Amino acid sequence: MTMAASMTIQPGRPLKGTISVPGDKSVTHRAIILTALAEGVSTVSSYCRGEDCLNTMRAFQALGVRIEESPDVLQVYGKGMWGLTEPTAPIDCGNSGTGIRLITGVLAGQDFFSVLTGDDSIRRRPMGRVVKPLRTMGATIAGRKGGELAPLAITGTRLKGIAYQSPVSSAQVKSSLLLAGLFSDGLTTITEPRLSRDHTERMFSYFGIPFRREGCSVSIEGRPAVRWAGKPVLVPGDLSAAAFFIVGAAIVPGSDVTVRTVGMNPTRTGILDVLRSMGAHIEVLNPREEAGEPVADLRVRSTPLHGVAIGPELIPQTIDEFPILCVAAAVAEGTTTITGAEELRVKESDRIATMAAELRAMGARIEERPDGMVIHGLGQAGRNGRLTGTTSSSHGDHRVAMSVAIGGLTAATSTVIQDTACIDTSFPRFEAKLLELLTESGKSL
Ligand code: S3P
């Protein structure tokens, strides 16, 4: 059990300096899974040491894979596609939707029994979106509410490929089915309404696992002839973690921040497009590629922002950044509307409700809609506005906690955020990094 910590934000200084952020959470999950199923030893460097990914690491250890952990590198002794063994106890995926849904896909096609569970938030989140199509593939999965909710009990079976039209654009659904497809007879095709993040596909390419993409469809031939060998994976910095400092630098006057080696996968960079359309000043420096993923350094300087319309076509590539975008919109000049974002209601918290509540308590003017929100910014005449310091709650959601912290930097008085232990799920040392940027600005005063 982690203790419910709190964080106090003392505003009044710009953010300045050059920093790095944790490794990408999505890429780290996939790196652990695919190196565990590889033949031979792999290293996973600059990985995300958040609890979510550590839980995925522990899950594969419980499935018989030797993984040696050091702060910078995981050494994974892959057991090949058919080398996993039955866990002796339920596997706890903690707070991680990606962890539980992707691992469910892997376990559905094994020849043993397993149980997956997680924390209170995970046990409220929809699992039917993976359970239903996996059952169509022949999987035997039981769970609360007919398999809609975890814990999930999986009796591994021989699966068969299907063609599945997903009602949601979800990389977790797509990846769960792609991983199940690896262990299935025949072809598995997943089609989604809009392209979700493609880290699984990129990592398949990196390991030489064949698949086909056509528009928003991706297909994989099961039980592939190839057995992929372990190799080093270098995880890019997490743009979703960098986003807090990017928005902080954009909205706190006098800021100038460079974040090094950030993942720039186009299925993730919606935040940069939205912020630029709001008037943000973001430079992309030194673009390059690492382990099949584009990366760059990002430099952001403060500018006045203005409201924009964010519609359904921008949602998948921006999905995790809405909490922090709400902060940008709340201080911008003019109105921001977000539509087609109903998926936000089934994240670590209902992010439409939790962000509206927390930002309203800080003086923001927000209307909730079933599929988004309307935010009337506090900025005026080419100046960003200021939120009001208050005592807020994270609602157990790491991104809500970090977003409120950044919002607090614009206030005249301090902001206390309660229940901040959840930040460790994705961004251990967030507060220390933020202080580093505030201190750096203190040095140049
Ligand atoms: C993720 C996919 C997204 C995202 C989540 C990470 C992934 O969820 O919100 O934080 O790594 O596949 P959905 O697939 O449910 O949209």
Side-chain angles (χ1 to χ4, degrees):
M1 279 285 282
T2 31
M3 297 247 301
S6 72
M7 190 192 307
T8 303
I9 296 294
Q10 301 290 358
R13 275 196 224 159
L15 301 175
K16 286 199 171 206
T18 300
I19 49 154
S20 58
V21 287
D24 189 279
K25 186 153 74 76
S26 291
V27 174
T28 302
H29 283 294
R30 288 153 173 86
I32 294 169
I33 295 171
L34 290 179
T35 58
L37 298 174
E39 314 237 324
V41 185
S42 300
T43 50
V44 182
S45 311
S46 303
Y47 69 102
C48 175
R49 273 184 71 74
E51 274 302 310
D52 279 9
C53 297
L54 293 178
N55 279 320
T56 289
M57 177 194 76
R58 291 177 198 124
F60 280 88
Q61 287 171 331
L63 291 161
V65 181
R66 181 170 152 213
I67 305 179
E68 285 164 8
E69 176 196 354
S70 74
D72 299 322
V73 187
L74 295 177
Q75 183 108 3
V76 184
Y77 296 80
K79 295 188 73 177
M81 257 188 75
W82 300 104
L84 302 181
T85 51
E86 184 170 85
T88 53
I91 290 175
D92 186 354
C93 298
N95 191 242
S96 179
T98 307
I100 194 166
R101 294 189 179 114
L102 269 56
I103 296 172
T104 300
V106 172
L107 295 182
Q110 305 299 319
D111 61 358
F112 54 74
F113 174 77
S114 52
V115 176
L116 295 176
T117 190
D119 67 8
D120 291 353
S121 154
I122 271 299
R123 282 182 275 111
R124 281 194 301 266
R125 293 180 65 189
M127 294 299 142
R129 54 180 58 198
V130 293
V131 168
K132 280 184 203 134
L134 287 171
R135 282 178 178 159
T136 313
M137 295 172 82
T140 305
I141 304 177
R144 288 162 54 232
K145 294 239 179 342
E148 191 51 48
L149 299 175
L152 301 176
I154 304 163
T155 305
T157 39
R158 185 150 185 163
L159 305 176
K160 55 182 187 322
I162 56 165
Y164 183 64
Q165 183 92 39
S166 175
V168 282
S169 297
S170 161
Q172 294 178 0
V173 172
K174 175 175 64 178
S175 305
S176 180
L177 301 186
L178 280 173
L179 290 166
L182 269 178
F183 296 94
S184 305
D185 289 313
L187 190 73
T188 298
T189 301
I190 304 114
T191 305
E192 50 186 351
R194 291 195 164 79
L195 186 64
S196 63
R197 64 189 65 190
D198 65 355
H199 301 299
T200 303
E201 297 93 306
R202 281 174 186 259
M203 207 167 284
F204 277 2
S205 299
Y206 184 67
F207 279 104
I209 305 167
F211 67 93
R212 268 200 323 278
R213 157 167 307 293
E214 258 174 80
C216 290
S217 295
V218 54
S219 305
I220 187 163
E221 195 65 57
R223 300 176 173 247
V226 292
R227 312 184 135 245
W228 61 98
K231 62 191 226 182
V233 180
L234 182 55
V235 180
D238 198 330
L239 178 58
S240 296
F244 301 104
F245 302 134
I246 293 172
V247 169
I251 64 177
V252 180
S255 297
D256 184 351
V257 169
T258 300
V259 193
R260 275 191 306 256
T261 321
V262 184
M264 290 289 284
N265 181 318
T267 60
R268 294 283 298 280
T269 48
I271 174 85
L272 303 180
D273 301 329
V274 173
L275 284 173
R276 282 204 182 103
S277 68
M278 296 176 82
H281 193 292
I282 304 172
E283 281 174 81
V284 177
L285 308 167
N286 194 14
R288 55 212 188 267
E289 187 160 309
E290 283 174 4
E293 292 279 351
V295 298
D297 305 328
L298 297 176
R299 182 176 181 193
V300 188
R301 279 170 282 181
S302 57
T303 37
L305 302 182
H306 52 80
V308 286
I310 308 171
E313 69 292 345
L314 268 169
I315 305 300
Q317 63 272 44
T318 317
I319 190 71
D320 288 340
E321 280 58 77
F322 281 98
I324 191 63
L325 271 176
C326 288
V327 173
V331 299
E333 182 184 351
T335 299
T336 294
T337 53
I338 301 168
T339 50
E342 53 282 328
E343 274 292 297
L344 293 177
R345 296 214 180 261
V346 290
K347 293 295 174 189
E348 286 84 326
S349 68
D350 172 345
R351 287 181 173 159
I352 294 176
T354 52
M355 284 311 297
E358 293 313 314
L359 289 178
R360 269 193 210 120
M362 298 177 85
R365 293 170 300 169
I366 302 186
E367 293 152 39
E368 255 191 65
R369 298 277 154 83
D371 68 335
M373 51 228 280
V374 179
I375 304 170
H376 304 282
L378 300 167
Q380 272 176 5
R383 289 172 66 98
N384 291 327
R386 305 178 77 161
L387 291 162
T388 309
T390 184
T391 297
S392 8
S393 161
S394 70
H395 301 266
D397 184 332
H398 55 134
R399 299 199 203 282
V400 172
M402 292 185 273
S403 300
V404 171
I406 297 298
L409 293 173
T410 68
T413 55
S414 61
T415 294
V416 178
I417 306 128
Q418 289 174 332
D419 195 9
T420 49
C422 54
I423 291 175
D424 285 351
T425 60
S426 68
F427 200 159
R429 301 197 64 251
F430 166 76
E431 190 175 6
K433 291 263 176 191
L434 181 58
L435 282 175
E436 232 178 86
L437 293 173
L438 294 168
T439 310
E440 199 52 41
S441 79
K443 278 190 210 152
S444 56
L445 280 180

